[in-house]
Amino acid sequence: MFSLKQPKPTFKSYLLPLPQAEDHIASEPRIKKLEPVLLPGEIVVNEVNFVRKCIATDTSQYDLWGKLVCTNFKISFITDDPMPLQKFHYKNLLLGEHDVPLTCIEQIVTVNDTRRKQKVLGPNQKLKFNPTELIIYCKDFRIVRFRFDEAGPESAKKVCLAIAHYSQPTDLQLLFAFEYVGEIYHNPAKKVNGIDPGGGGGGLSSASGQQTPLFETYSDWDREIKRTGASEWRVCSVNEGYMISTCLPEYFVVPSSLADQDLKLYSYSFIGRRMPLWSWNHPNGSALVRMANIKDVLQQRRIDQRICNAITRSHPLRSDVYKSDLDKCLPNIQEIQAAHIKLKQLCVNEPFEETEEKWLSSLENTHWLEYIRSFLKHSAELVYMMECKHVSVILQEEEGRDLSCLAASLIQVMLDPYFRTIVGFQSLIQKEWVMAGYQFLDRCNHLKRSDKESPLFLMFLDCVWQLLEQYPAAFEFSEMYLTILYDSARISLFGTFLFNCPHQRVKESTEFAISKNIQLGDEKGLKFPCVWDWSLQFTSRDRLLFHNPLYIGKSAPCVQNGAVKTFKKNYSSTLRGVPPALKNGIISEQEFLPRRNSLILKLKPDFLQQTESQSNSMEQYFRDWFAKPVDLHGIILPHISGTQIKLWKLCYFRWVPEAQINHGGFITAFHKVSLLADEVDMLNRNLRQYKSNSSLQGNCSELDQSKMYFRANSLNDTSGAPDFLSSSFPFSPVGNLCRRSILGTPLSKFLSGAKIWLSTETLANED
């Protein structure tokens, strides 16, 4: 009987089919239809089709094809090709996965392969050759590379010139935030993610619903005085309307014994007219104060004595005042900038694998970790003065708006557990950086004035990360939060990190409003989006990454002397970590001696003037501190010796595929701890429901409300780590860092002895 089915073909071809002409024709409209997602006020300046984005592998097999677009906010690469070797990346609601904000661009290099030419593009420059390649060096250590092999040469040249022009504006009002806010004021319906400009810190709050105070009003400062118990201090409004100083906030705190008339008189003698600013009060009455240098030499001694007397009278014990000259004790902003440049060169050096043999010596030569250690060490010494000696501390600096921001913030993080919560930490940045006049515009170099650039804010976040690494259960936020906060300072949308002082925001935004016919009413300048409105950037699920699953809140029980007690707000000196040896404490004789040719470990004049008994008292204090058990809601002090100061790899290495560990790194522990914390939370909710005699099925929605990014599917969940986890989580190096040749880890060279190393693809697929 015959079958009606067609016989199966017996010939099998092992050659790849040639692309059909109609397939090639059909692919062109698909790329041309790709359009960028634009924010209010964002416009497309230039674009070019058929661009190839180079992916970090040793071949061009996985390169992406798409459209390169330059807007007045970002450069955007748009593609619908799937990302190879990449299974996870957190999503920013303002920026696509391949987008780079213009203010994050550090250098633009154009290359022509055939003519063997390359040029670093500046604003308003001409390009005499047609580029075949564009390399973008970013301030966050990222390198992005595009090829124009199939693109029109003139279109490629125009988009490169547009990127160079718009990424290096000459005026503050040319930054995108002004266009965004102007569009929002003219068209209020164009809100992004339902967020109003300048939303007032309502994005991320604590479990109690507390919002981030911005310290723009009298009441915010008054609440902080009451929170710290600074009864002998008052909120001063003498600078209302910025009548006294343009680089101070309108409201700040001064000793109650200083009259407004005296402050007005004394202000002329300070550099920048920056009068002494209160930062924080210890429960024992000691105060932390910031002060600029007195420029009037004839009046210096009299005014200095008057200020010190007022601070002394504000202390319940009338204790003396300890003055720390930060310009003599700490590295200056030029040295910090030089260290940052060396660190960046080390981390993005090509080829990366060749640096391994001399990695540690190269890292030491950057002086970055040395400067981190000096800030932590000096801050710990001032903590000792306030905690043990019960004296008020004055941080003195030439202008009082650079090093004092970092030192004052670190001291408060060590002393006050409130500033180790998310809302508290954000309020600390508002108080000590934004409102105190830290020059974000110049130090972050938003307008490309490199002579004033210095990464002090990054160094502060790095110092906090060192403390977080040493005391993980004492901080509510995670290192991902710190990294994303650093990235947010490079986005030209948030007024938080856009200006040198509050007065500049009011002045520039008022002028812009007048030019755009925007009616301000009673508002003091335009309201820019606040970085603390995290819902503008991230979904509620991605914001869970900000929370540290190891954190122990104030309501956690603690067993003391056999009795169960509840953590309460106290600042007793009982929080202690146990070092490997006493020599790893804060102070030792060796730490007082200069090491090599270091500029920062010289003998300090303040300590040379101390008696031998005072030095011994300080050393004994730290020995006792480290010998006692940990109290997560008291003081924390850093370990600063040897390898205890580490490199913040998640921040600096996240774009280096060779440095990533598949299924490894801190994220493995983070994943396991998250599952465990979520399981404990599930058990607690089940117990509450059982005690209230409510059925588990009746409140299933409550069981789904997890505070962890990684959630336990059920009790006793033993699932393994997800396949997409690597030590770069939640950042994806593949597709965001482009190198001509990435051959995998140098370790394979020594293990196999072969000249050909494993490829990145092979490593990524290994179990």
Side-chain angles (χ1 to χ4, degrees):
M1 190 173 181
F2 296 96
S3 174
L4 297 178
K5 295 181 179 179
Q6 293 288 340
K8 294 182 179 180
T10 59
F11 176 77
K12 183 178 181 180
S13 174
Y14 291 92
L15 296 176
L16 293 175
L18 294 174
Q20 299 297 323
E22 57 268 22
D23 294 339
H24 178 70
I25 295 174
S27 65
E28 292 185 9
R30 175 176 60 86
I31 294 180
K32 289 182 179 180
K33 289 181 180 178
L34 297 175
E35 298 296 336
V37 178
L38 302 178
L39 297 174
E42 186 177 7
I43 59 173
V44 174
V45 177
N46 216 304
E47 61 183 38
V48 57
N49 284 312
F50 305 108
V51 176
R52 177 160 57 96
K53 182 179 181 181
C54 303
I55 300 302
T57 57
D58 55 347
T59 69
S60 60
Q61 177 182 0
Y62 298 111
D63 288 353
L64 301 178
W65 289 87
K67 176 192 290 187
L68 181 62
V69 178
C70 174
T71 75
N72 57 340
F73 172 51
K74 63 180 182 287
I75 58 170
S76 182
F77 179 74
I78 313 164
T79 180
D80 58 0
D81 290 342
M83 173 62 70
L85 307 178
Q86 176 172 312
K87 300 180 181 179
F88 178 79
H89 187 274
Y90 77 93
K91 183 178 180 181
N92 191 304
L93 302 178
L94 298 176
L95 298 165
E97 188 172 357
H98 304 287
D99 295 351
V100 179
L102 293 178
T103 42
C104 189
I105 296 175
E106 183 169 40
Q107 193 176 71
I108 303 165
V109 179
T110 52
V111 181
N112 184 288
D113 292 338
T114 57
R115 299 175 63 179
R116 295 183 179 180
K117 288 186 176 182
Q118 67 177 27
K119 182 176 183 178
V120 178
L121 278 183
N124 302 319
Q125 287 187 347
K126 295 182 179 180
L127 191 57
K128 296 182 179 180
F129 58 83
N130 294 324
T132 58
E133 184 176 347
L134 172 66
I135 306 175
I136 305 291
Y137 293 89
C138 305
K139 295 178 181 178
D140 58 3
F141 293 24
R142 195 176 5 162
I143 306 174
V144 188
R145 186 160 63 97
F146 302 100
R147 295 285 303 180
F148 303 116
D149 299 321
E150 304 296 329
E154 285 299 320
S155 298
K157 178 188 291 188
K158 288 180 180 178
V159 79
C160 291
L161 291 173
I163 293 173
H165 177 75
Y166 280 87
S167 64
Q168 303 178 67
T170 56
D171 186 76
L172 173 59
Q173 294 182 24
L174 295 176
L175 293 177
F176 173 69
F178 286 87
E179 292 297 332
Y180 172 85
V181 174
E183 184 69 19
I184 293 294
Y185 271 88
H186 282 302
N187 301 282
K190 287 189 176 182
K191 299 175 185 176
V192 178
N193 305 324
I195 302 298
D196 284 313
L204 185 67
S205 60
S206 65
S208 61
Q210 182 183 2
Q211 304 300 323
T212 302
L214 301 182
F215 291 96
E216 295 176 347
T217 62
Y218 184 101
S219 58
D220 283 346
W221 289 101
D222 189 56
R223 278 193 296 269
E224 184 67 6
I225 287 179
K226 294 175 180 176
R227 189 188 71 83
T228 58
S231 58
E232 298 298 322
W233 297 77
R234 66 180 179 89
V235 183
C236 172
S237 58
V238 70
N239 198 40
E240 245 179 0
Y242 306 100
M243 298 299 294
I244 301 297
S245 174
T246 57
C247 55
L248 284 179
E250 287 191 287
Y251 307 99
F252 53 92
V253 178
V254 297
S256 299
S257 59
L258 279 179
D260 287 354
Q261 194 61 34
D262 293 334
L263 292 172
K264 291 179 182 179
L265 182 63
Y266 297 152
S267 66
Y268 293 95
S269 300
F270 290 93
I271 295 179
R273 303 186 70 175
R274 290 181 59 88
M275 294 169 283
L277 299 175
W278 173 90
S279 291
W280 184 79
N281 238 63
H282 195 288
N284 64 25
S286 303
L288 181 64
V289 182
R290 298 168 54 177
M291 187 172 73
N293 288 340
I294 301 175
K295 61 182 179 181
D296 190 343
V297 179
L298 298 177
Q299 300 291 331
Q300 181 175 2
R301 184 172 181 179
R302 182 181 68 85
I303 295 176
D304 191 62
Q305 188 64 40
R306 179 71 179 89
I307 297 297
C308 290
N309 288 340
I311 296 174
T312 297
R313 281 197 292 270
S314 69
H315 197 292
L317 300 179
R318 301 297 189 264
S319 296
D320 294 333
V321 175
Y322 180 83
K323 187 179 294 184
S324 174
D325 190 339
L326 301 183
D327 291 323
K328 296 179 181 179
C329 300
L330 296 171
N332 59 43
I333 59 173
Q334 291 80 14
E335 291 168 339
I336 295 173
Q337 171 67 0
H340 182 251
I341 292 174
K342 292 179 182 177
L343 177 67
K344 185 179 296 185
Q345 292 172 344
L346 179 63
C347 291
V348 302
N349 187 32
E350 289 189 69
F352 179 82
E353 55 269 13
E354 292 183 1
T355 64
E356 186 182 55
E357 295 179 3
K358 53 183 180 180
W359 169 256
L360 292 178
S361 59
S362 299
L363 179 60
E364 184 181 9
N365 290 334
T366 66
H367 299 293
W368 182 259
L369 297 185
E370 184 179 357
Y371 294 163
I372 293 286
R373 183 179 291 108
S374 68
F375 275 104
L376 290 170
K377 178 177 181 289
H378 189 67
S379 299
E381 292 166 354
L382 297 180
V383 166
Y384 159 79
M385 298 303 297
M386 297 184 68
E387 168 73 11
C388 189
K389 292 299 183 181
H390 295 192
V391 299
S392 295
V393 170
I394 294 179
L395 303 176
Q396 190 157 10
E397 185 186 6
E398 183 177 3
E399 292 188 15
R401 58 193 304 193
D402 280 307
L403 302 179
S404 61
C405 294
L406 206 165
S409 300
L410 275 184
I411 291 170
Q412 292 172 73
V413 169
M414 294 178 189
L415 282 169
D416 193 339
Y418 169 68
F419 295 124
R420 302 195 285 269
T421 65
I422 292 176
V423 172
F425 188 72
Q426 294 176 170
S427 71
L428 178 69
I429 294 175
Q430 276 289 142
K431 177 166 63 81
E432 299 298 338
W433 296 78
V434 179
M435 300 308 297
Y438 178 72
Q439 303 173 83
F440 279 104
L441 180 66
D442 293 340
R443 299 298 180 239
C444 293
N445 205 11
H446 292 322
L447 300 181
K448 303 298 184 293
R449 297 169 182 170
S450 57
D451 57 323
K452 296 183 179 181
E453 184 176 4
S454 189
L456 276 174
F457 186 64
L458 172 62
M459 179 156 282
F460 164 64
L461 297 179
D462 198 329
C463 290
V464 174
W465 177 82
Q466 303 290 339
L467 295 170
L468 171 62
E469 184 76 2
Q470 296 176 15
Y471 302 98
F475 290 84
E476 185 184 13
F477 48 83
S478 64
E479 69 169 324
M480 277 81 85
Y481 166 79
L482 293 175
T483 308
I484 290 172
L485 179 57
Y486 165 61
D487 289 342
S488 298
R490 304 293 184 185
I491 300 177
S492 59
L493 179 63
F494 307 111
T496 312
F497 303 129
L498 212 59
F499 303 98
N500 285 335
C501 58
H503 172 262
Q504 188 182 49
R505 177 187 66 82
V506 174
K507 177 178 178 294
E508 295 286 344
S509 64
T510 301
E511 292 177 357
F512 181 81
I514 294 173
S515 66
K516 298 295 183 179
N517 295 320
I518 298 175
Q519 300 298 324
L520 292 177
D522 295 333
E523 296 180 9
K524 296 179 179 179
L526 298 174
K527 290 185 177 179
F528 292 87
C530 180
V531 73
W532 314 129
D533 290 326
W534 291 110
S535 57
L536 187 60
Q537 289 193 73
F538 303 103
T539 64
S540 56
R541 173 162 172 77
D542 282 343
R543 293 200 299 273
L544 294 175
L545 289 170
F546 295 174
H547 294 268
N548 174 18
L550 291 172
Y551 176 65
I552 298 178
K554 291 184 178 181
S555 61
C558 175
V559 179
Q560 295 180 352
N561 299 325
V564 178
K565 297 183 178 181
T566 302
F567 281 125
K568 295 182 179 179
K569 178 181 174 182
N570 63 78
Y571 301 92
S572 63
S573 57
T574 56
L575 175 139
R576 317 294 172 231
V578 181
L582 288 179
K583 66 179 181 179
N584 290 332
I586 298 295
I587 302 298
S588 65
E589 293 181 4
Q590 296 176 351
E591 292 293 339
F592 286 116
L593 300 178
R595 185 159 57 95
R596 297 186 180 179
N597 295 323
S598 171
L599 296 174
I600 64 165
L601 292 180
K602 297 178 181 178
L603 290 172
K604 300 176 182 176
D606 292 339
F607 287 104
L608 287 175
Q609 296 172 4
Q610 288 182 344
T611 62
E612 184 177 352
S613 60
Q614 287 176 319
S615 299
N616 292 337
S617 175
M618 182 182 292
E619 291 186 35
Q620 187 61 45
Y621 168 76
F622 290 116
R623 288 194 182 96
D624 294 341
W625 191 92
F626 282 109
K628 295 179 181 179
V630 173
D631 173 11
L632 298 175
H633 296 277
I635 301 171
I636 60 172
L637 294 178
H639 303 276
I640 61 170
S641 300
T643 58
Q644 292 170 326
I645 300 299
K646 303 176 183 178
L647 187 69
W648 188 6
K649 295 180 181 178
L650 181 69
C651 185
Y652 306 134
F653 279 176
R654 52 186 159 149
W655 314 119
V656 184
E658 309 99 308
Q660 306 309 327
I661 306 172
N662 195 31
H663 299 287
F666 175 77
I667 184 55
T668 303
F670 181 85
H671 171 254
K672 293 295 183 183
V673 171
S674 296
L675 293 180
L676 182 60
D678 195 43
E679 186 176 335
V680 170
D681 189 49
M682 290 172 62
L683 286 170
N684 284 332
R685 283 181 285 180
N686 284 341
L687 286 173
R688 287 196 301 269
Q689 290 176 344
Y690 176 77
K691 291 180 180 179
S692 61
N693 295 323
S694 60
S695 64
L696 293 177
Q697 297 180 353
N699 279 328
C700 291
S701 59
E702 183 186 354
L703 295 176
D704 294 334
Q705 295 175 355
S706 172
K707 296 180 181 179
M708 294 294 109
Y709 185 86
F710 296 106
R711 303 175 182 179
N713 295 325
S714 61
L715 299 180
N716 302 316
D717 187 2
T718 57
S719 60
D723 292 336
F724 55 71
L725 284 188
S726 73
S727 57
S728 66
F729 178 88
F731 308 96
S732 174
V734 179
N736 283 303
L737 179 74
C738 303
R739 301 166 184 267
R740 286 191 175 276
S741 176
I742 291 183
L743 302 175
T745 171
L747 184 61
S748 60
K749 173 183 178 181
F750 301 103
L751 292 178
S752 63
K755 295 183 179 180
I756 302 177
W757 300 347
L758 298 175
S759 67
T760 305
E761 179 185 5
T762 305
L763 291 172
N765 294 332
E766 282 185 351
D767 293 328

